[in-house]
Each structure stands twice: as C-alpha cells, then as structure tokens.
C-alpha cells in the first residue's frame, strides 16, 4: 500500500529548517514510511538557561525533556507543558516532536515549546511514535533525554538530578512473574533481543536515557536482525514492539553498570514525578478537575483548554 | 498558550478527531472502512463499481477523512471514514474529481468537506495534474452556472449516452483553490469552521451544488443527474475529426428582467 499523508509543505514557512542539515556525519535518520522530509524549526525562543548546577543529572551535562505527540493528543499536551513549566527545573529544553501532518493543528492551537521538531508521519503511529523515541538523539542534542508522553502531568518539583543516582539514570523494573500473564511485552522483547528477559522495564514515566544508548541500540539491531531499527519496528504487527522495554532490556543486558536499576518490588522506589493519564480514555470534566488540582490552579494553569461542555 | 480552542459547537468535537489521508491503494482494513462508509450511505455498489476499478486502473488517489477508534486504533473497525473524495487522471494534465461524499451524520459538516477538498486541491496544485474536471449535463442551468461562477469553462469534450450529452467543465486547480479561499485558511481552521462569512458562503454554494447536482447517488435508473462521474479512459473526449462541433453558450443566459 503506497500512501502519503497530507502535510503542510516545508517550504511554506521560512523558519523551517531541514533536520538533516546539521547532523553529524554518518548520523542515522528515521525514514518512516512517508516521503515528507523531517524538519526542525523554532516556534518560540527558549529561555536563556533552565539549568542550575545543583539540579544537573551530573555535572556538565544537559538533559532535555522530549515529548512525542500528535494532533489527537494536543489538548493533553497543553497540560503536560503547563505542568513542566510549573514543576520542572534544571532541564535544558522541552522538545516536542510531532509528525509533519500534525503541524497545522499545532500552529492553529497556538501551542509553544522551547523547540518543536517535525518527524516523519507513519501509517501506524502507534509504532511510529516508538520509532521517534528510539531516535531521540536525532531530535535532541542533549546528553540525556527524559521522555514523557502528552498525557503525563508532572505533580511535584522535578529536576534531572531526581531521575538519577550519581549520574546513573533510574530505570524502574518489575519481574514479569508478578505481572498479568497477558502482558504482551515479554515475548516480543525477548524476540528482539534474542535472549530471555525477566523484567518489565516500562513501569512509569518519565523514562531517562543517555544519548549514547540510542545509536548503540540501533547499531545492535542492524547487526542482530540485519535491518535498521525503524524498519524492524515498523515491520511488527500492531502492538508488536515496546520501545522502552527494548531500551531498558538492552541497557540491562549490555550496559548494566551505567544505570541505577530500581525494582519496584523492593519498595525503595521514589514517588512518581508524573500523574499518568490515558489519553484514549478521553479528557472529561473529572480528569480536568484532577489536572487543575495537580497544577494547583482553578483553570488549568492558564492553558485554557477545557473539556467539551465545561463552563 | 493564550489561545482558547475549546470544542463547543456542532462538529467541533468530531472534527477535532479527524485526520485526512491520501492513498493510491487500500489495504484490507482501509478497504473495509471505505466499503462500510458506502454501505452506510446506502450506495455499496459505488465501491465495487467505481472506486476500486478506478484505483486499480492507476493514476488515481482517494482522500479520506478518518476518525480512528480511541483504542485500539488498529484492526478491523479501527478507522471510520467520515468523508471521501476520489481523483483520477483523465488527461495528461487533468483529473476527474468525485463529489465529496459524507456520512449522513456529517451531512452539513461543511468544514469537513472543505478540509478534504482543500487537501485535494493542494495535491493537484503541486503535481502535474493541475486541472479539475467535472462532467456536466449539456444544457444544465444549475450545475453549469454554479461551476462557471467558480471559473470552470465548458469544453468541446463530451460524453454521449443514449439520452443525454455531458460536457467537460474545466478549471485550473490553483485558481479554484484561490476562488474558494482555500489558499488562505488552514485545514484545522476549516475543520473548526473558522472562516469568514464570505468564504463560508462560497463553500456552502460550491459544495452544495456539487452534492445536489450529483444526486441521486443511490441506484435509480433513468433519473437524470446534472453531474456524473468521469469514467476512466475518457482522455481528450473531443468528437472525432470531421464531426462538427456543437455550440456551447459562452455565458449563462441572462436572467429575465423583472
């Protein structure tokens, strides 16, 4: 099936910059299955610096919050961004990555972030958004990437330092033996890694990984499966891949000493930085009220998208 | 974050969930979605008799306004087609464009129709197929006059049936896009019905005329339509050499003075 999702033309906006122009030699671009080029453009100048030395993940390194979103989640994204404004400190930039097909709606809604980067559009964006995250080092040049989704709302003060121990990012894990046997991720992660996996690693956002891990995983995939990582992911059936399980399991197996592994069954896990909603459930009045409570405001923190019918 | 975009009006919430896709082939799930769409319209034959053969003949695209199921968005029933439009080449530079079909629950969703059509015209303006064609009943007052008011011009290319003769009406896609104001508004603005009154009225007249003049789309033999679909293979349907041309009124007949 050949298909092209409609998109705003890149050359229609003079501030748009093609993402491939400033990559390091040999950098790998996710191709997706669309023919539109990925582009990068500044929507709003970022703050001079959000980074205070005391809040760094480790001295002298940078950490960006990267959010992969799309048109259907933009109303959630407002609250996510508002919560970052309110609670997050020490992060260098908030980078929002959206498919080019969502660009018109982004502009229409008047959303803003430190940086917005357009990624390819994918026929199956459930897998496509995973590809984007696995190429996070293309969309951000920070030393560490902190992933959250559009339907995550920060609920307490958070710095990069809160997400690591001695410079080693926290990765939460839980034995599969404790989980519902219907959880699909174990078998497909084992198939990807070609090894037995005993832990589930997609436990709670934010997920923070060093930028070197992404190309390492891609190189490993090419060597193991003979195809690029985006090709591998996009060839899976629906729900046939788990990006954070792949990152976590790969890191656990090949770079265990570079991370702080927190088994949620040990009871020593720090409280969650985010309240994680589920965008597919819908944004109703009850959710809106809860978000207002989290943001400690009466109206969504000035990010004034109320649920349909709300007065 | 100072712009309030709260869905409150009719179709706002539905249109907020719409994506527009263009494809030259339908995978099994998309095909089911399109078939279901035409079945709900009570015109299931259109899929097998027109959409599919036209696609398979090549040089054709369908534009779909789609609403995805909240969860899971994949699999049978994962997508619901809200509006449909098909284009196919009828000459080296021209395409035939179908009416914009909408589901009954979106019958007056002008923003959805305009948004889908905007994508069609944008595609045409950046491709070699830059000419929009409709096949209009000769002598038509309604369809022909409305189309002429949007810049269409009747040609010498015709389709002749046992009962009627149809004339190709053509215009440049970019010019039509400008006349409809679709070069000045974005798809999200159209979906939100955020256009000025004049543009809205131009859309209302144009799309209503296309819709009405293409009726009935249900199977009713012998009923005359002012606009019919262009079958594939009607390239340059000029009459054969030596056949005398027929007269095309250069201007719509003037209205009688009161």
């Amino acid at each position: 099936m050949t298909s092209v999702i409609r998109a705003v033309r890149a050359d229609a906006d003079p501030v748009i910059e093609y993402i491939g122009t400033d990559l390091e030699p040999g950098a790998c671009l996710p191709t997706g299955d669309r023919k539109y080029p990925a582009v990068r453009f500044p929507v709003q100048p970022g703050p001079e610096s959000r980074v205070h030395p005391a809040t760094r993940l480790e001295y002298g390194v940078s950490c960006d919050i990267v959010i992969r979103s799309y048109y259907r989640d933009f109303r959630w994204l407002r609250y996510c961004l508002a919560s970052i404004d309110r609670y997050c400190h020490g992060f260098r930039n908030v980078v929002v990555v959206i498919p080019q097909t969502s660009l018109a709606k982004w502009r229409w809604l008047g959303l803003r972030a430190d940086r917005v980067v357009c990624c390819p559009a994918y026929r199956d964006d459930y897998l496509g958004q995973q590809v984007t995250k696995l190429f996070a080092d293309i969309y951000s040049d920070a030393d560490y990437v902190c992933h959250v989704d559009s339907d995550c709302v920060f609920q307490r003060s958070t710095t990069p330092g809160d997400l690591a121990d001695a410079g080693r990012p926290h990765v939460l894990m839980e034995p599969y033996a404790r989980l519902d046997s219907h959880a699909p991720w174990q078998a497909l992660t084992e198939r990807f890694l070609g090894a037995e996996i005993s832990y589930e690693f997609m436990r709670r956002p934010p997920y923070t990984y060093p930028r070197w891990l992404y190309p390492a995983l891609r190189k490993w995939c090419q060597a193991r499966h003979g195809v690029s990582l985006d090709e591998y992911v996009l060839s899976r059936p629906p729900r046939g891949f788990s990006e954070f399980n792949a990152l976590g399991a790969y890191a656990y197996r090949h770079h265990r000493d570079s991370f702080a592994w927190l088994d949620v069954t040990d009871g020593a896990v720090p409280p969650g930085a985010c309240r994680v909603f589920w965008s597919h459930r819908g944004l109703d009045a009850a959710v809106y009220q809860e978000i207002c409570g989290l943001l400690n405001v009466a109206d969504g923190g000035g990010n004034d998208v109320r649920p349909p019918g709300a007065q | 974050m100072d712009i309030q975009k709260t869905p409150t009006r009719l179709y706002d919430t539905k249109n907020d969930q719409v994506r527009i896709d263009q494809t030259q082939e339908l995978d099994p799930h998309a095909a089911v979605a399109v078939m279901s769409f035409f079945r709900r319209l009570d015109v299931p034959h259109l899929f097998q008799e027109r959409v599919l053969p036209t696609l398979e003949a090549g040089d054709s695209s369908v534009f779909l306004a789609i609403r995805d199921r909240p969860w899971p968005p994949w699999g049978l029933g994962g997508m619901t087609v809200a509006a449909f439009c098909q284009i196919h080449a009828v000459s080296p530079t021209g395409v035939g464009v179908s009416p914009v079909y909408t589901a009954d629950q979106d019958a007056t969703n002008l923003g959805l129709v305009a948004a889908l059509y905007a994508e069609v015209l944008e595609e045409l303006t950046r491709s070699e197929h830059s000419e929009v064609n409709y096949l209009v009943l000769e002598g038509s007052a309604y369809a022909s006059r409305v189309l002429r008011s949007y810049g269409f011009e009747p040609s010498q290319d015709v389709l002749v049936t046992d009962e009627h003769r149809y004339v190709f009406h053509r215009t440049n896609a970019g010019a039509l896009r400008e006349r409809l104001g679709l070069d000045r508004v974005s798809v999200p603005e159209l979906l939100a019905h955020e256009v000025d009154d004049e543009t809205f009225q131009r859309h209302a007249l144009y799309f209503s005329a296309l819709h009405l003049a293409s009726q009935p789309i249900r199977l009713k033999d012998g009923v005359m339509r002012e606009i019919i679909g262009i079958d594939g293979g009607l390239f340059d349907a000029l009459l054969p050499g030596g056949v005398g041309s027929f007269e095309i009124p250069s201007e719509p007949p003037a209205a009688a003075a009161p």
Side-chain angles (χ1 to χ4, degrees), chain A residues 124-267:
Chain A
D124 179 347
D125 202 49
Y126 182 76
L127 292 172
Q129 55 93 19
Q130 297 190 44
V131 171
T132 304
K133 292 170 184 170
L134 294 169
F135 283 77
D137 56 314
I138 299 295
Y139 301 106
S140 162
D141 59 359
D143 300 303
Y144 288 83
V145 174
C146 172
H147 297 270
V148 292
D149 287 331
S150 305
D151 51 4
C152 294
V153 176
F154 280 88
Q155 57 187 348
R156 59 175 46 86
S157 180
T158 304
T159 71
D162 297 329
L163 307 174
D165 280 337
R168 296 185 306 155
H170 293 158
V171 181
L172 273 60
M173 53 198 261
E174 185 167 5
Y176 275 114
R178 279 175 46 96
L179 301 178
D180 187 322
S181 60
H182 292 92
W185 312 126
Q186 183 176 15
L188 54 90
T189 306
E190 288 179 340
R191 196 175 307 130
F192 174 66
L193 281 182
E196 190 175 322
I197 306 295
S198 302
Y199 292 96
E200 156 77 33
F201 296 96
M202 195 166 60
R203 294 290 77 195
R204 190 180 70 197
Y207 303 101
T208 305
Y209 289 101
R211 72 174 293 108
W212 57 261
L213 187 69
Y214 302 91
L217 181 65
R218 294 196 294 266
K219 185 177 178 181
W220 183 89
C221 177
Q222 184 74 47
R224 167 82 191 177
H225 297 287
V227 295
S228 63
L229 184 52
D230 54 330
E231 286 178 281
Y232 182 88
V233 174
L234 294 173
S235 67
R236 301 298 97 188
R239 241 189 177 192
F241 196 79
S242 171
E243 77 282 31
F244 290 121
N245 270 301
L247 281 165
Y250 171 78
Y252 188 74
R253 187 168 176 78
H254 296 282
H255 305 282
R256 195 171 302 181
D257 292 341
S258 298
F259 298 86
W261 303 96
L262 305 178
D263 188 333
V264 299
T265 60
D266 289 347

Side-chain angles (χ1 to χ4, degrees), chain A:
Chain A
M1 179 171 175
T2 58
S3 177
V4 176
I5 286 185
R6 309 296 313 114
V8 173
R9 275 173 290 185
D11 60 5
D13 190 329
V15 303
I16 290 179
E17 171 190 350
Y18 284 81
I19 192 171
T21 58
D22 58 351
L23 293 176
E24 297 170 2
C28 177
L29 273 174
T31 56
D33 54 4
R34 299 282 187 251
K35 304 306 178 191
Y36 286 97
V39 295
R40 167 187 305 184
F41 64 96
V43 165
Q44 186 77 357
E48 288 185 7
S49 174
R50 292 169 179 261
V51 183
H52 186 280
T55 64
R56 283 176 172 150
L57 192 66
E58 56 184 313
Y59 184 77
V61 302
S62 56
C63 182
D64 281 352
I65 295 175
V66 174
I67 308 168
R68 167 55 153 89
S69 190
Y70 78 133
Y71 73 101
R72 282 185 70 134
D73 280 353
F74 284 166
R75 296 185 190 281
W76 287 92
L77 180 60
R78 278 188 187 274
Y79 299 122
C80 176
L81 293 171
S83 73
I84 292 169
D85 277 346
R86 182 169 183 82
Y87 290 118
C88 292
H89 312 282
F91 295 91
R92 189 186 63 171
N93 280 321
V94 178
V95 182
V96 176
V97 185
I98 59 175
Q100 191 158 354
T101 46
S102 295
L103 181 56
K105 188 160 185 177
W106 168 275
R107 287 173 168 154
W108 175 66
L109 286 171
L111 290 161
R112 294 176 186 174
D114 296 331
R115 287 185 52 239
V116 179
V117 186
C118 282
C119 65
Y122 299 90
R123 174 179 317 288
D124 179 347
D125 202 49
Y126 182 76
L127 292 172
Q129 55 93 19
Q130 297 190 44
V131 171
T132 304
K133 292 170 184 170
L134 294 169
F135 283 77
D137 56 314
I138 299 295
Y139 301 106
S140 162
D141 59 359
D143 300 303
Y144 288 83
V145 174
C146 172
H147 297 270
V148 292
D149 287 331
S150 305
D151 51 4
C152 294
V153 176
F154 280 88
Q155 57 187 348
R156 59 175 46 86
S157 180
T158 304
T159 71
D162 297 329
L163 307 174
D165 280 337
R168 296 185 306 155
H170 293 158
V171 181
L172 273 60
M173 53 198 261
E174 185 167 5
Y176 275 114
R178 279 175 46 96
L179 301 178
D180 187 322
S181 60
H182 292 92
W185 312 126
Q186 183 176 15
L188 54 90
T189 306
E190 288 179 340
R191 196 175 307 130
F192 174 66
L193 281 182
E196 190 175 322
I197 306 295
S198 302
Y199 292 96
E200 156 77 33
F201 296 96
M202 195 166 60
R203 294 290 77 195
R204 190 180 70 197
Y207 303 101
T208 305
Y209 289 101
R211 72 174 293 108
W212 57 261
L213 187 69
Y214 302 91
L217 181 65
R218 294 196 294 266
K219 185 177 178 181
W220 183 89
C221 177
Q222 184 74 47
R224 167 82 191 177
H225 297 287
V227 295
S228 63
L229 184 52
D230 54 330
E231 286 178 281
Y232 182 88
V233 174
L234 294 173
S235 67
R236 301 298 97 188
R239 241 189 177 192
F241 196 79
S242 171
E243 77 282 31
F244 290 121
N245 270 301
L247 281 165
Y250 171 78
Y252 188 74
R253 187 168 176 78
H254 296 282
H255 305 282
R256 195 171 302 181
D257 292 341
S258 298
F259 298 86
W261 303 96
L262 305 178
D263 188 333
V264 299
T265 60
D266 289 347
V269 175
C274 297
R275 166 75 166 94
V276 183
F277 294 93
W278 194 50
S279 61
H280 302 288
R281 174 184 178 271
L283 186 52
D284 57 22
V287 170
Y288 175 72
Q289 286 305 319
E290 183 178 353
I291 291 173
C292 289
L294 293 173
L295 296 178
N296 199 20
V297 294
D299 62 353
N303 299 285
D304 39 12
V305 172
R306 290 169 294 175
Q311 300 299 313

Side-chain angles (χ1 to χ4, degrees), chain B:
Chain B
M1 314 228 178
D2 51 352
I3 299 176
Q4 185 161 348
K5 304 286 185 187
T6 305
T8 54
R9 294 165 299 190
L10 182 65
Y11 298 126
D12 276 2
T13 302
K14 293 174 73 175
N15 286 1
D16 198 42
Q17 302 300 317
V18 163
R19 65 181 168 93
I20 295 175
D21 203 355
Q22 175 197 354
T23 185
Q24 288 83 45
E25 297 175 50
L26 295 170
D27 66 26
H29 289 175
V32 166
V34 175
M35 278 190 277
S36 299
F37 171 76
F38 284 113
R39 177 177 50 76
R40 291 196 307 276
L41 277 180
D42 201 19
V43 285
H45 65 286
L46 283 183
F47 182 77
Q48 291 293 343
E49 295 180 12
R50 179 160 293 276
V51 174
L52 207 52
T54 305
L55 269 181
E56 289 175 349
D59 228 352
S60 174
S61 293
V62 296
F63 291 77
L64 306 170
I66 293 169
R67 296 189 183 102
D68 292 310
R69 179 169 56 198
W71 189 261
W74 56 76
L76 278 175
M79 65 171 72
T80 300
V81 176
F84 174 98
C85 186
Q86 184 171 24
I87 62 174
H88 69 283
V90 297
S91 74
T93 59
V95 297
V97 182
S98 78
V100 178
Y101 299 102
T102 56
D104 286 349
Q105 55 268 44
D106 287 296
T108 59
N109 194 342
L110 186 65
L112 179 72
V113 174
L116 191 68
Y117 206 77
E119 297 283 21
V120 171
L121 292 183
E122 186 183 343
E123 170 64 18
L124 295 179
T125 54
R126 62 183 175 193
S127 71
E128 70 271 22
H129 296 303
S130 56
E131 185 185 73
V132 177
N133 289 260
Y134 285 105
L135 202 43
V136 180
L137 182 70
E138 184 183 6
S140 148
Y142 178 56
S144 183
R145 286 184 68 167
V146 171
L147 287 180
R148 287 182 200 219
S149 73
Y150 286 84
F152 283 85
E153 294 180 358
S155 73
Q156 293 284 335
D157 293 347
V158 295
L159 174 84
V160 181
T161 69
D162 288 340
E163 297 86 16
H164 305 293
R165 194 148 71 165
Y166 292 85
V167 179
F168 278 80
H169 283 50
R170 296 176 171 139
T171 192
N172 177 269
L176 178 61
R177 190 165 172 248
E178 288 177 20
R179 290 191 190 98
L180 288 168
L182 297 176
D183 59 328
R184 300 189 299 273
V185 290
S186 67
V187 165
E189 288 172 319
L190 291 167
L191 288 171
H193 295 93
E194 286 188 356
V195 295
D196 61 69
D197 285 348
E198 182 185 348
T199 303
F200 190 87
Q201 287 162 15
R202 291 188 71 75
H203 293 175
L205 173 61
Y206 183 76
F207 294 115
S208 298
L210 283 183
H211 178 72
L212 275 179
S214 302
Q215 297 297 317
I217 55 174
R218 292 176 174 84
L219 285 169
K220 290 181 181 177
D221 289 339
V223 177
M224 183 180 67
R225 288 172 286 167
E226 290 203 7
I227 293 180
I228 63 173
I230 304 175
D231 294 326
L234 288 173
F235 290 82
D236 297 326
L238 276 170
L239 297 179
V243 176
S245 63
F246 59 94
E247 290 299 318
I248 299 172
S250 58
E251 293 294 334

